[in-house]
Amino acid sequence: MRARCLWTVAILVAGAVGAQHEMADRTDEEIVASAEAAAPAAVGADATVIDVAGDGSIRVVREGTNGFTCMADNPATPGPDPMCADANAMEWIGAWIAHQTPPPGKIGFMYMLVGGTDASNTDPWATAPSGDNHWIQTGPHVMIVGAAEALAAYPRDADPDTSVPYVMWPGTPYEHLMVPVQ
């Protein structure tokens, strides 16, 4: 399972987002500090921290004990994007990247407390703004994935108010709850 989760993150960073994640000029301490910043201190301190290269290869910088995997900010993306995800969220990410249906019955949780690289709110695979993909600005937030049946009470607008909880990628198999934390 751990290998699948790490492979998923490599694809996410190197392929699906289209960015090159080069950490060769960062020390392990800098990578850990950036990755830990994505989550509350108690989560980040015990998470596995990985370093993802531009070719998708992964180096485990630090083994964790709490089931979360964190990665540092990708300097090639336009905004801050360190993240931490639990095992279920890592499986959800893998399904999204592979354009497959997310695993049923597995609710996952992700932290992006530094913020996130801006994204389309309607196209799960958009890599740049266009006239019709509803690019949004995201600040610090958490995400709940794999719980589509519980999202009916939340706004599903293509251009949401990102200062309140809303559904990202509504109407797709990858819709998930974005919860700002500011």
Side-chain angles (χ1 to χ4, degrees), residues 141-179:
H141 62 279
V142 296
M143 293 171 277
I144 299 171
V145 300
E149 59 282 343
L151 302 180
Y154 295 95
R156 305 173 69 76
D157 303 324
D159 297 305
D161 175 355
T162 60
S163 68
V164 298
Y166 65 95
V167 176
M168 185 169 199
W169 301 333
T172 75
Y174 314 103
E175 62 184 13
H176 60 282
L177 187 62
M178 297 282 287
V179 182

PDB file of all heavy atoms in Angstrom, residues 141-179:
ATOM      1  N   HIS A 141      -6.506  25.609   3.269  1.00  0.00           N
ATOM      2  CA  HIS A 141      -7.737  24.821   3.296  1.00  0.00           C
ATOM      3  C   HIS A 141      -7.448  23.370   3.654  1.00  0.00           C
ATOM      4  O   HIS A 141      -6.300  22.939   3.663  1.00  0.00           O
ATOM      5  CB  HIS A 141      -8.459  24.886   1.941  1.00  0.00           C
ATOM      6  CG  HIS A 141      -7.657  24.326   0.802  1.00  0.00           C
ATOM      7  ND1 HIS A 141      -6.672  25.043   0.163  1.00  0.00           N
ATOM      8  CD2 HIS A 141      -7.692  23.119   0.193  1.00  0.00           C
ATOM      9  CE1 HIS A 141      -6.138  24.305  -0.796  1.00  0.00           C
ATOM     10  NE2 HIS A 141      -6.732  23.122  -0.796  1.00  0.00           N
ATOM     11  N   VAL A 142      -8.533  22.663   3.943  1.00  0.00           N
ATOM     12  CA  VAL A 142      -8.493  21.212   4.063  1.00  0.00           C
ATOM     13  C   VAL A 142      -9.479  20.666   3.043  1.00  0.00           C
ATOM     14  O   VAL A 142     -10.368  21.392   2.576  1.00  0.00           O
ATOM     15  CB  VAL A 142      -8.826  20.709   5.491  1.00  0.00           C
ATOM     16  CG1 VAL A 142      -7.786  21.181   6.491  1.00  0.00           C
ATOM     17  CG2 VAL A 142     -10.217  21.108   5.909  1.00  0.00           C
ATOM     18  N   MET A 143      -9.314  19.417   2.676  1.00  0.00           N
ATOM     19  CA  MET A 143     -10.197  18.786   1.702  1.00  0.00           C
ATOM     20  C   MET A 143     -10.709  17.466   2.255  1.00  0.00           C
ATOM     21  O   MET A 143      -9.957  16.721   2.889  1.00  0.00           O
ATOM     22  CB  MET A 143      -9.457  18.521   0.396  1.00  0.00           C
ATOM     23  CG  MET A 143      -9.060  19.782  -0.339  1.00  0.00           C
ATOM     24  SD  MET A 143      -7.974  19.422  -1.729  1.00  0.00           S
ATOM     25  CE  MET A 143      -6.401  19.322  -0.889  1.00  0.00           C
ATOM     26  N   ILE A 144     -11.981  17.204   1.991  1.00  0.00           N
ATOM     27  CA  ILE A 144     -12.577  15.914   2.317  1.00  0.00           C
ATOM     28  C   ILE A 144     -12.956  15.286   0.983  1.00  0.00           C
ATOM     29  O   ILE A 144     -13.745  15.860   0.216  1.00  0.00           O
ATOM     30  CB  ILE A 144     -13.793  16.064   3.236  1.00  0.00           C
ATOM     31  CG1 ILE A 144     -13.360  16.723   4.549  1.00  0.00           C
ATOM     32  CG2 ILE A 144     -14.452  14.698   3.484  1.00  0.00           C
ATOM     33  CD1 ILE A 144     -14.488  17.112   5.455  1.00  0.00           C
ATOM     34  N   VAL A 145     -12.364  14.145   0.690  1.00  0.00           N
ATOM     35  CA  VAL A 145     -12.582  13.471  -0.590  1.00  0.00           C
ATOM     36  C   VAL A 145     -13.272  12.134  -0.351  1.00  0.00           C
ATOM     37  O   VAL A 145     -13.223  11.586   0.747  1.00  0.00           O
ATOM     38  CB  VAL A 145     -11.252  13.268  -1.350  1.00  0.00           C
ATOM     39  CG1 VAL A 145     -10.574  14.603  -1.641  1.00  0.00           C
ATOM     40  CG2 VAL A 145     -10.302  12.351  -0.590  1.00  0.00           C
ATOM     41  N   GLY A 146     -13.933  11.632  -1.376  1.00  0.00           N
ATOM     42  CA  GLY A 146     -14.568  10.319  -1.283  1.00  0.00           C
ATOM     43  C   GLY A 146     -15.887  10.323  -0.543  1.00  0.00           C
ATOM     44  O   GLY A 146     -16.364   9.270  -0.131  1.00  0.00           O
ATOM     45  N   ALA A 147     -16.481  11.493  -0.374  1.00  0.00           N
ATOM     46  CA  ALA A 147     -17.742  11.594   0.366  1.00  0.00           C
ATOM     47  C   ALA A 147     -18.790  12.319  -0.464  1.00  0.00           C
ATOM     48  O   ALA A 147     -19.552  13.131   0.049  1.00  0.00           O
ATOM     49  CB  ALA A 147     -17.518  12.317   1.687  1.00  0.00           C
ATOM     50  N   ALA A 148     -18.871  12.027  -1.761  1.00  0.00           N
ATOM     51  CA  ALA A 148     -19.755  12.751  -2.677  1.00  0.00           C
ATOM     52  C   ALA A 148     -21.204  12.774  -2.201  1.00  0.00           C
ATOM     53  O   ALA A 148     -21.890  13.789  -2.339  1.00  0.00           O
ATOM     54  CB  ALA A 148     -19.670  12.160  -4.079  1.00  0.00           C
ATOM     55  N   GLU A 149     -21.676  11.690  -1.608  1.00  0.00           N
ATOM     56  CA  GLU A 149     -23.071  11.629  -1.172  1.00  0.00           C
ATOM     57  C   GLU A 149     -23.362  12.589  -0.020  1.00  0.00           C
ATOM     58  O   GLU A 149     -24.514  12.888   0.260  1.00  0.00           O
ATOM     59  CB  GLU A 149     -23.464  10.205  -0.786  1.00  0.00           C
ATOM     60  CG  GLU A 149     -22.637   9.584   0.317  1.00  0.00           C
ATOM     61  CD  GLU A 149     -21.261   9.058  -0.113  1.00  0.00           C
ATOM     62  OE1 GLU A 149     -21.017   8.875  -1.316  1.00  0.00           O
ATOM     63  OE2 GLU A 149     -20.423   8.837   0.772  1.00  0.00           O
ATOM     64  N   ALA A 150     -22.347  13.124   0.632  1.00  0.00           N
ATOM     65  CA  ALA A 150     -22.544  14.035   1.758  1.00  0.00           C
ATOM     66  C   ALA A 150     -22.393  15.507   1.368  1.00  0.00           C
ATOM     67  O   ALA A 150     -22.447  16.372   2.220  1.00  0.00           O
ATOM     68  CB  ALA A 150     -21.555  13.700   2.861  1.00  0.00           C
ATOM     69  N   LEU A 151     -22.246  15.799   0.086  1.00  0.00           N
ATOM     70  CA  LEU A 151     -21.943  17.159  -0.346  1.00  0.00           C
ATOM     71  C   LEU A 151     -23.151  17.981  -0.774  1.00  0.00           C
ATOM     72  O   LEU A 151     -23.014  19.147  -1.127  1.00  0.00           O
ATOM     73  CB  LEU A 151     -20.936  17.128  -1.505  1.00  0.00           C
ATOM     74  CG  LEU A 151     -19.604  16.437  -1.190  1.00  0.00           C
ATOM     75  CD1 LEU A 151     -18.704  16.470  -2.421  1.00  0.00           C
ATOM     76  CD2 LEU A 151     -18.928  17.064   0.005  1.00  0.00           C
ATOM     77  N   ALA A 152     -24.348  17.431  -0.736  1.00  0.00           N
ATOM     78  CA  ALA A 152     -25.541  18.111  -1.257  1.00  0.00           C
ATOM     79  C   ALA A 152     -25.820  19.459  -0.604  1.00  0.00           C
ATOM     80  O   ALA A 152     -26.356  20.359  -1.241  1.00  0.00           O
ATOM     81  CB  ALA A 152     -26.766  17.212  -1.121  1.00  0.00           C
ATOM     82  N   ALA A 153     -25.441  19.638   0.630  1.00  0.00           N
ATOM     83  CA  ALA A 153     -25.750  20.876   1.350  1.00  0.00           C
ATOM     84  C   ALA A 153     -24.762  22.007   1.066  1.00  0.00           C
ATOM     85  O   ALA A 153     -24.964  23.122   1.527  1.00  0.00           O
ATOM     86  CB  ALA A 153     -25.784  20.600   2.849  1.00  0.00           C
ATOM     87  N   TYR A 154     -23.719  21.736   0.281  1.00  0.00           N
ATOM     88  CA  TYR A 154     -22.682  22.734   0.051  1.00  0.00           C
ATOM     89  C   TYR A 154     -22.814  23.364  -1.330  1.00  0.00           C
ATOM     90  O   TYR A 154     -23.274  22.721  -2.278  1.00  0.00           O
ATOM     91  CB  TYR A 154     -21.302  22.099   0.220  1.00  0.00           C
ATOM     92  CG  TYR A 154     -21.072  21.648   1.639  1.00  0.00           C
ATOM     93  CD1 TYR A 154     -21.330  20.336   2.021  1.00  0.00           C
ATOM     94  CD2 TYR A 154     -20.641  22.549   2.607  1.00  0.00           C
ATOM     95  CE1 TYR A 154     -21.143  19.923   3.338  1.00  0.00           C
ATOM     96  CE2 TYR A 154     -20.459  22.143   3.921  1.00  0.00           C
ATOM     97  CZ  TYR A 154     -20.708  20.837   4.279  1.00  0.00           C
ATOM     98  OH  TYR A 154     -20.537  20.442   5.572  1.00  0.00           O
ATOM     99  N   PRO A 155     -22.369  24.633  -1.471  1.00  0.00           N
ATOM    100  CA  PRO A 155     -22.435  25.296  -2.781  1.00  0.00           C
ATOM    101  C   PRO A 155     -21.675  24.513  -3.840  1.00  0.00           C
ATOM    102  O   PRO A 155     -20.592  23.993  -3.581  1.00  0.00           O
ATOM    103  CB  PRO A 155     -21.775  26.658  -2.520  1.00  0.00           C
ATOM    104  CG  PRO A 155     -21.874  26.870  -1.050  1.00  0.00           C
ATOM    105  CD  PRO A 155     -21.829  25.501  -0.435  1.00  0.00           C
ATOM    106  N   ARG A 156     -22.260  24.455  -5.032  1.00  0.00           N
ATOM    107  CA  ARG A 156     -21.690  23.707  -6.153  1.00  0.00           C
ATOM    108  C   ARG A 156     -21.460  24.619  -7.353  1.00  0.00           C
ATOM    109  O   ARG A 156     -21.445  24.178  -8.482  1.00  0.00           O
ATOM    110  CB  ARG A 156     -22.618  22.557  -6.525  1.00  0.00           C
ATOM    111  CG  ARG A 156     -22.949  21.634  -5.353  1.00  0.00           C
ATOM    112  CD  ARG A 156     -23.996  20.598  -5.707  1.00  0.00           C
ATOM    113  NE  ARG A 156     -23.476  19.621  -6.655  1.00  0.00           N
ATOM    114  CZ  ARG A 156     -22.644  18.624  -6.357  1.00  0.00           C
ATOM    115  NH1 ARG A 156     -22.242  18.459  -5.125  1.00  0.00           N
ATOM    116  NH2 ARG A 156     -22.229  17.805  -7.284  1.00  0.00           N
ATOM    117  N   ASP A 157     -21.290  25.899  -7.097  1.00  0.00           N
ATOM    118  CA  ASP A 157     -21.142  26.878  -8.165  1.00  0.00           C
ATOM    119  C   ASP A 157     -19.809  26.710  -8.894  1.00  0.00           C
ATOM    120  O   ASP A 157     -18.789  26.378  -8.282  1.00  0.00           O
ATOM    121  CB  ASP A 157     -21.219  28.297  -7.601  1.00  0.00           C
ATOM    122  CG  ASP A 157     -22.511  28.549  -6.834  1.00  0.00           C
ATOM    123  OD1 ASP A 157     -23.553  28.022  -7.253  1.00  0.00           O
ATOM    124  OD2 ASP A 157     -22.452  29.251  -5.815  1.00  0.00           O
ATOM    125  N   ALA A 158     -19.821  27.006 -10.184  1.00  0.00           N
ATOM    126  CA  ALA A 158     -18.584  26.956 -10.957  1.00  0.00           C
ATOM    127  C   ALA A 158     -17.596  28.014 -10.472  1.00  0.00           C
ATOM    128  O   ALA A 158     -16.388  27.807 -10.523  1.00  0.00           O
ATOM    129  CB  ALA A 158     -18.883  27.142 -12.442  1.00  0.00           C
ATOM    130  N   ASP A 159     -18.114  29.144 -10.016  1.00  0.00           N
ATOM    131  CA  ASP A 159     -17.286  30.227  -9.489  1.00  0.00           C
ATOM    132  C   ASP A 159     -17.668  30.458  -8.028  1.00  0.00           C
ATOM    133  O   ASP A 159     -18.373  31.415  -7.696  1.00  0.00           O
ATOM    134  CB  ASP A 159     -17.489  31.500 -10.321  1.00  0.00           C
ATOM    135  CG  ASP A 159     -17.037  31.316 -11.755  1.00  0.00           C
ATOM    136  OD1 ASP A 159     -15.877  30.927 -11.961  1.00  0.00           O
ATOM    137  OD2 ASP A 159     -17.855  31.538 -12.663  1.00  0.00           O
ATOM    138  N   PRO A 160     -17.206  29.607  -7.127  1.00  0.00           N
ATOM    139  CA  PRO A 160     -17.651  29.659  -5.736  1.00  0.00           C
ATOM    140  C   PRO A 160     -17.013  30.792  -4.936  1.00  0.00           C
ATOM    141  O   PRO A 160     -15.979  31.346  -5.312  1.00  0.00           O
ATOM    142  CB  PRO A 160     -17.186  28.320  -5.187  1.00  0.00           C
ATOM    143  CG  PRO A 160     -15.923  28.064  -5.936  1.00  0.00           C
ATOM    144  CD  PRO A 160     -16.210  28.560  -7.347  1.00  0.00           C
ATOM    145  N   ASP A 161     -17.633  31.086  -3.823  1.00  0.00           N
ATOM    146  CA  ASP A 161     -17.037  31.946  -2.813  1.00  0.00           C
ATOM    147  C   ASP A 161     -16.065  31.049  -2.055  1.00  0.00           C
ATOM    148  O   ASP A 161     -16.481  30.171  -1.288  1.00  0.00           O
ATOM    149  CB  ASP A 161     -18.136  32.492  -1.891  1.00  0.00           C
ATOM    150  CG  ASP A 161     -17.589  33.312  -0.740  1.00  0.00           C
ATOM    151  OD1 ASP A 161     -16.348  33.407  -0.571  1.00  0.00           O
ATOM    152  OD2 ASP A 161     -18.418  33.853   0.019  1.00  0.00           O
ATOM    153  N   THR A 162     -14.771  31.251  -2.261  1.00  0.00           N
ATOM    154  CA  THR A 162     -13.778  30.361  -1.652  1.00  0.00           C
ATOM    155  C   THR A 162     -13.494  30.691  -0.184  1.00  0.00           C
ATOM    156  O   THR A 162     -12.643  30.059   0.422  1.00  0.00           O
ATOM    157  CB  THR A 162     -12.468  30.373  -2.457  1.00  0.00           C
ATOM    158  OG1 THR A 162     -11.948  31.709  -2.474  1.00  0.00           O
ATOM    159  CG2 THR A 162     -12.691  29.869  -3.870  1.00  0.00           C
ATOM    160  N   SER A 163     -14.241  31.657   0.368  1.00  0.00           N
ATOM    161  CA  SER A 163     -14.063  31.961   1.787  1.00  0.00           C
ATOM    162  C   SER A 163     -14.978  31.109   2.664  1.00  0.00           C
ATOM    163  O   SER A 163     -14.917  31.187   3.885  1.00  0.00           O
ATOM    164  CB  SER A 163     -14.311  33.450   2.052  1.00  0.00           C
ATOM    165  OG  SER A 163     -15.673  33.778   1.853  1.00  0.00           O
ATOM    166  N   VAL A 164     -15.821  30.287   2.037  1.00  0.00           N
ATOM    167  CA  VAL A 164     -16.713  29.377   2.756  1.00  0.00           C
ATOM    168  C   VAL A 164     -16.566  27.984   2.141  1.00  0.00           C
ATOM    169  O   VAL A 164     -16.098  27.840   1.010  1.00  0.00           O
ATOM    170  CB  VAL A 164     -18.191  29.850   2.683  1.00  0.00           C
ATOM    171  CG1 VAL A 164     -18.345  31.211   3.332  1.00  0.00           C
ATOM    172  CG2 VAL A 164     -18.695  29.872   1.255  1.00  0.00           C
ATOM    173  N   PRO A 165     -16.975  26.929   2.848  1.00  0.00           N
ATOM    174  CA  PRO A 165     -16.883  25.585   2.254  1.00  0.00           C
ATOM    175  C   PRO A 165     -17.668  25.496   0.950  1.00  0.00           C
ATOM    176  O   PRO A 165     -18.750  26.070   0.822  1.00  0.00           O
ATOM    177  CB  PRO A 165     -17.507  24.689   3.330  1.00  0.00           C
ATOM    178  CG  PRO A 165     -17.285  25.423   4.600  1.00  0.00           C
ATOM    179  CD  PRO A 165     -17.458  26.888   4.231  1.00  0.00           C
ATOM    180  N   TYR A 166     -17.107  24.793  -0.026  1.00  0.00           N
ATOM    181  CA  TYR A 166     -17.755  24.620  -1.324  1.00  0.00           C
ATOM    182  C   TYR A 166     -17.286  23.312  -1.951  1.00  0.00           C
ATOM    183  O   TYR A 166     -16.281  22.729  -1.535  1.00  0.00           O
ATOM    184  CB  TYR A 166     -17.437  25.795  -2.260  1.00  0.00           C
ATOM    185  CG  TYR A 166     -15.975  25.901  -2.648  1.00  0.00           C
ATOM    186  CD1 TYR A 166     -15.508  25.339  -3.831  1.00  0.00           C
ATOM    187  CD2 TYR A 166     -15.065  26.546  -1.820  1.00  0.00           C
ATOM    188  CE1 TYR A 166     -14.167  25.426  -4.183  1.00  0.00           C
ATOM    189  CE2 TYR A 166     -13.730  26.634  -2.166  1.00  0.00           C
ATOM    190  CZ  TYR A 166     -13.279  26.077  -3.348  1.00  0.00           C
ATOM    191  OH  TYR A 166     -11.943  26.150  -3.694  1.00  0.00           O
ATOM    192  N   VAL A 167     -18.027  22.879  -2.961  1.00  0.00           N
ATOM    193  CA  VAL A 167     -17.680  21.659  -3.678  1.00  0.00           C
ATOM    194  C   VAL A 167     -16.798  22.022  -4.868  1.00  0.00           C
ATOM    195  O   VAL A 167     -17.168  22.855  -5.700  1.00  0.00           O
ATOM    196  CB  VAL A 167     -18.945  20.907  -4.156  1.00  0.00           C
ATOM    197  CG1 VAL A 167     -18.559  19.683  -4.987  1.00  0.00           C
ATOM    198  CG2 VAL A 167     -19.801  20.508  -2.964  1.00  0.00           C
ATOM    199  N   MET A 168     -15.630  21.402  -4.934  1.00  0.00           N
ATOM    200  CA  MET A 168     -14.741  21.573  -6.078  1.00  0.00           C
ATOM    201  C   MET A 168     -14.982  20.422  -7.044  1.00  0.00           C
ATOM    202  O   MET A 168     -15.236  19.299  -6.625  1.00  0.00           O
ATOM    203  CB  MET A 168     -13.282  21.588  -5.634  1.00  0.00           C
ATOM    204  CG  MET A 168     -12.304  21.881  -6.750  1.00  0.00           C
ATOM    205  SD  MET A 168     -10.669  22.195  -6.072  1.00  0.00           S
ATOM    206  CE  MET A 168      -9.934  23.049  -7.452  1.00  0.00           C
ATOM    207  N   TRP A 169     -14.918  20.714  -8.317  1.00  0.00           N
ATOM    208  CA  TRP A 169     -15.144  19.761  -9.399  1.00  0.00           C
ATOM    209  C   TRP A 169     -16.523  19.120  -9.308  1.00  0.00           C
ATOM    210  O   TRP A 169     -16.695  17.899  -9.459  1.00  0.00           O
ATOM    211  CB  TRP A 169     -14.053  18.708  -9.471  1.00  0.00           C
ATOM    212  CG  TRP A 169     -12.674  19.268  -9.676  1.00  0.00           C
ATOM    213  CD1 TRP A 169     -12.342  20.445 -10.294  1.00  0.00           C
ATOM    214  CD2 TRP A 169     -11.450  18.671  -9.277  1.00  0.00           C
ATOM    215  NE1 TRP A 169     -10.994  20.618 -10.297  1.00  0.00           N
ATOM    216  CE2 TRP A 169     -10.415  19.528  -9.681  1.00  0.00           C
ATOM    217  CE3 TRP A 169     -11.113  17.501  -8.620  1.00  0.00           C
ATOM    218  CZ2 TRP A 169      -9.066  19.261  -9.444  1.00  0.00           C
ATOM    219  CZ3 TRP A 169      -9.784  17.236  -8.384  1.00  0.00           C
ATOM    220  CH2 TRP A 169      -8.777  18.100  -8.796  1.00  0.00           C
ATOM    221  N   PRO A 170     -17.561  19.958  -9.060  1.00  0.00           N
ATOM    222  CA  PRO A 170     -18.924  19.410  -8.918  1.00  0.00           C
ATOM    223  C   PRO A 170     -19.369  18.668 -10.168  1.00  0.00           C
ATOM    224  O   PRO A 170     -19.025  19.043 -11.289  1.00  0.00           O
ATOM    225  CB  PRO A 170     -19.783  20.652  -8.672  1.00  0.00           C
ATOM    226  CG  PRO A 170     -19.016  21.791  -9.247  1.00  0.00           C
ATOM    227  CD  PRO A 170     -17.566  21.428  -9.073  1.00  0.00           C
ATOM    228  N   GLY A 171     -20.123  17.601  -9.946  1.00  0.00           N
ATOM    229  CA  GLY A 171     -20.658  16.813 -11.054  1.00  0.00           C
ATOM    230  C   GLY A 171     -19.673  15.846 -11.664  1.00  0.00           C
ATOM    231  O   GLY A 171     -19.997  15.164 -12.629  1.00  0.00           O
ATOM    232  N   THR A 172     -18.452  15.777 -11.135  1.00  0.00           N
ATOM    233  CA  THR A 172     -17.470  14.811 -11.630  1.00  0.00           C
ATOM    234  C   THR A 172     -17.290  13.727 -10.563  1.00  0.00           C
ATOM    235  O   THR A 172     -17.674  13.928  -9.410  1.00  0.00           O
ATOM    236  CB  THR A 172     -16.097  15.468 -11.908  1.00  0.00           C
ATOM    237  OG1 THR A 172     -15.446  15.733 -10.656  1.00  0.00           O
ATOM    238  CG2 THR A 172     -16.241  16.750 -12.720  1.00  0.00           C
ATOM    239  N   PRO A 173     -16.686  12.602 -10.917  1.00  0.00           N
ATOM    240  CA  PRO A 173     -16.428  11.582  -9.890  1.00  0.00           C
ATOM    241  C   PRO A 173     -15.448  12.055  -8.820  1.00  0.00           C
ATOM    242  O   PRO A 173     -15.275  11.408  -7.800  1.00  0.00           O
ATOM    243  CB  PRO A 173     -15.809  10.422 -10.683  1.00  0.00           C
ATOM    244  CG  PRO A 173     -16.178  10.661 -12.098  1.00  0.00           C
ATOM    245  CD  PRO A 173     -16.319  12.146 -12.257  1.00  0.00           C
ATOM    246  N   TYR A 174     -14.798  13.209  -9.042  1.00  0.00           N
ATOM    247  CA  TYR A 174     -13.753  13.706  -8.156  1.00  0.00           C
ATOM    248  C   TYR A 174     -14.222  14.890  -7.309  1.00  0.00           C
ATOM    249  O   TYR A 174     -13.416  15.550  -6.664  1.00  0.00           O
ATOM    250  CB  TYR A 174     -12.520  14.088  -8.976  1.00  0.00           C
ATOM    251  CG  TYR A 174     -12.193  13.017  -9.967  1.00  0.00           C
ATOM    252  CD1 TYR A 174     -12.523  13.169 -11.312  1.00  0.00           C
ATOM    253  CD2 TYR A 174     -11.641  11.805  -9.557  1.00  0.00           C
ATOM    254  CE1 TYR A 174     -12.287  12.151 -12.224  1.00  0.00           C
ATOM    255  CE2 TYR A 174     -11.406  10.788 -10.458  1.00  0.00           C
ATOM    256  CZ  TYR A 174     -11.723  10.964 -11.790  1.00  0.00           C
ATOM    257  OH  TYR A 174     -11.498   9.960 -12.678  1.00  0.00           O
ATOM    258  N   GLU A 175     -15.534  15.153  -7.306  1.00  0.00           N
ATOM    259  CA  GLU A 175     -15.998  16.267  -6.491  1.00  0.00           C
ATOM    260  C   GLU A 175     -15.631  16.021  -5.043  1.00  0.00           C
ATOM    261  O   GLU A 175     -15.636  14.880  -4.564  1.00  0.00           O
ATOM    262  CB  GLU A 175     -17.496  16.501  -6.675  1.00  0.00           C
ATOM    263  CG  GLU A 175     -18.399  15.386  -6.264  1.00  0.00           C
ATOM    264  CD  GLU A 175     -19.861  15.681  -6.591  1.00  0.00           C
ATOM    265  OE1 GLU A 175     -20.166  16.630  -7.343  1.00  0.00           O
ATOM    266  OE2 GLU A 175     -20.718  14.951  -6.077  1.00  0.00           O
ATOM    267  N   HIS A 176     -15.256  17.104  -4.382  1.00  0.00           N
ATOM    268  CA  HIS A 176     -14.820  17.006  -2.992  1.00  0.00           C
ATOM    269  C   HIS A 176     -15.078  18.326  -2.284  1.00  0.00           C
ATOM    270  O   HIS A 176     -15.289  19.358  -2.929  1.00  0.00           O
ATOM    271  CB  HIS A 176     -13.342  16.608  -2.902  1.00  0.00           C
ATOM    272  CG  HIS A 176     -12.407  17.569  -3.572  1.00  0.00           C
ATOM    273  ND1 HIS A 176     -12.234  17.604  -4.936  1.00  0.00           N
ATOM    274  CD2 HIS A 176     -11.600  18.538  -3.059  1.00  0.00           C
ATOM    275  CE1 HIS A 176     -11.358  18.544  -5.254  1.00  0.00           C
ATOM    276  NE2 HIS A 176     -10.956  19.129  -4.126  1.00  0.00           N
ATOM    277  N   LEU A 177     -15.066  18.275  -0.990  1.00  0.00           N
ATOM    278  CA  LEU A 177     -15.342  19.463  -0.189  1.00  0.00           C
ATOM    279  C   LEU A 177     -14.055  20.206   0.106  1.00  0.00           C
ATOM    280  O   LEU A 177     -13.091  19.636   0.604  1.00  0.00           O
ATOM    281  CB  LEU A 177     -16.024  19.059   1.125  1.00  0.00           C
ATOM    282  CG  LEU A 177     -16.530  20.208   1.992  1.00  0.00           C
ATOM    283  CD1 LEU A 177     -17.602  21.028   1.257  1.00  0.00           C
ATOM    284  CD2 LEU A 177     -17.072  19.674   3.313  1.00  0.00           C
ATOM    285  N   MET A 178     -14.075  21.486  -0.225  1.00  0.00           N
ATOM    286  CA  MET A 178     -12.969  22.404   0.089  1.00  0.00           C
ATOM    287  C   MET A 178     -13.424  23.222   1.294  1.00  0.00           C
ATOM    288  O   MET A 178     -14.487  23.842   1.259  1.00  0.00           O
ATOM    289  CB  MET A 178     -12.693  23.323  -1.097  1.00  0.00           C
ATOM    290  CG  MET A 178     -12.239  22.605  -2.343  1.00  0.00           C
ATOM    291  SD  MET A 178     -10.508  22.121  -2.283  1.00  0.00           S
ATOM    292  CE  MET A 178      -9.707  23.699  -2.497  1.00  0.00           C
ATOM    293  N   VAL A 179     -12.629  23.231   2.336  1.00  0.00           N
ATOM    294  CA  VAL A 179     -12.975  23.951   3.553  1.00  0.00           C
ATOM    295  C   VAL A 179     -11.855  24.938   3.873  1.00  0.00           C
ATOM    296  O   VAL A 179     -10.750  24.515   4.265  1.00  0.00           O
ATOM    297  CB  VAL A 179     -13.182  22.984   4.750  1.00  0.00           C
ATOM    298  CG1 VAL A 179     -13.591  23.751   5.995  1.00  0.00           C
ATOM    299  CG2 VAL A 179     -14.189  21.899   4.398  1.00  0.00           C
TER     300      VAL A 179
END
